């Protein structure tokens, strides 16, 4: 099934993004999304690749659930997001300053780059 994404968000809406290789981060993000909806707050949920920089800059409240794959790389459904959004923000300091956000980074402590992608977000 596709994401329930719709841009731009209205004030008070929450966008829930996930970066998941094995499905754990996606499952957690969808649970968060459902909890937000159950509380009466409009929300959308989808993989990080479903948002581009322009859409992300329209968001007001953002929850990211991000896993790390390999030795610090983004999962497949976040690679485009990493290239287009995270790398480009260095060129525009403060471009996401008006977004309230929470990040849940998942990773395996057996790897040197534990939770690296989540920290990058």
């Amino acid at each position: 099934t596709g994401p329930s994404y719709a841009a731009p968000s209205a004030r008070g809406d929450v966008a829930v993004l996930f970066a998941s290789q094995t499905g754990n981060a996606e499952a957690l993000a969808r649970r968060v999304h459902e909890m937000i909806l159950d509380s009466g707050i409009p929300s959308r949920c989808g993989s990080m690749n479903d948002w581009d920089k322009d859409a992300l800059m329209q968001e007001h409240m953002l929850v990211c659930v991000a896993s790390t794959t390999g030795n610090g790389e983004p999962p497949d459904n976040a690679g485009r997001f990493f290239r287009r959004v995270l790398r480009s923000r260095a060129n525009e300091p403060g471009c996401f300053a008006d977004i309230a956000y929470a990040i849940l980074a998942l990773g395996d402590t057996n790897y040197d780059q534990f939770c690296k992608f989540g920290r990058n977000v």
Side-chain angles (χ1 to χ4, degrees), residues 52 55-56 73 76 89 100 120:
D52 63 18
L56 188 63
E73 288 83 34
D76 292 339
R89 78 175 172 194
N120 287 342

Side-chain angles (χ1 to χ4, degrees), residues 16 28-40 43 45:
V16 181
L28 284 171
R30 293 197 183 281
R31 283 182 61 197
V32 168
H33 169 66
E34 291 300 322
M35 290 169 56
I36 293 168
L37 290 174
D38 288 347
S39 71
S43 179
C45 183

Side-chain angles (χ1 to χ4, degrees), residues 52-114:
D52 63 18
K53 185 176 178 183
D54 292 334
L56 188 63
M57 290 177 66
Q58 298 301 311
E59 299 296 347
H60 304 288
M61 300 176 100
L62 184 65
V63 175
C64 295
V65 182
S67 65
T68 297
T69 189
N71 196 26
E73 288 83 34
D76 292 339
N77 62 4
R80 185 173 57 235
F81 177 88
F82 179 73
R83 289 187 303 276
R84 293 184 181 168
V85 177
L86 295 182
R87 284 188 182 163
S88 67
R89 78 175 172 194
N91 298 326
E92 301 174 42
C95 67
F96 300 124
D98 293 331
I99 301 173
Y101 65 91
I103 299 171
L104 173 59
L106 306 176
D108 184 337
T109 57
N110 290 314
Y111 290 92
D112 291 337
Q113 297 298 321
F114 167 68

Side-chain angles (χ1 to χ4, degrees), residues 5-37:
Y5 168 72
S9 70
R11 288 269 177 208
D13 289 8
V14 179
V16 181
L17 283 65
F18 58 83
S20 187
Q21 193 69 27
T22 63
N24 291 332
E26 179 178 357
L28 284 171
R30 293 197 183 281
R31 283 182 61 197
V32 168
H33 169 66
E34 291 300 322
M35 290 169 56
I36 293 168
L37 290 174

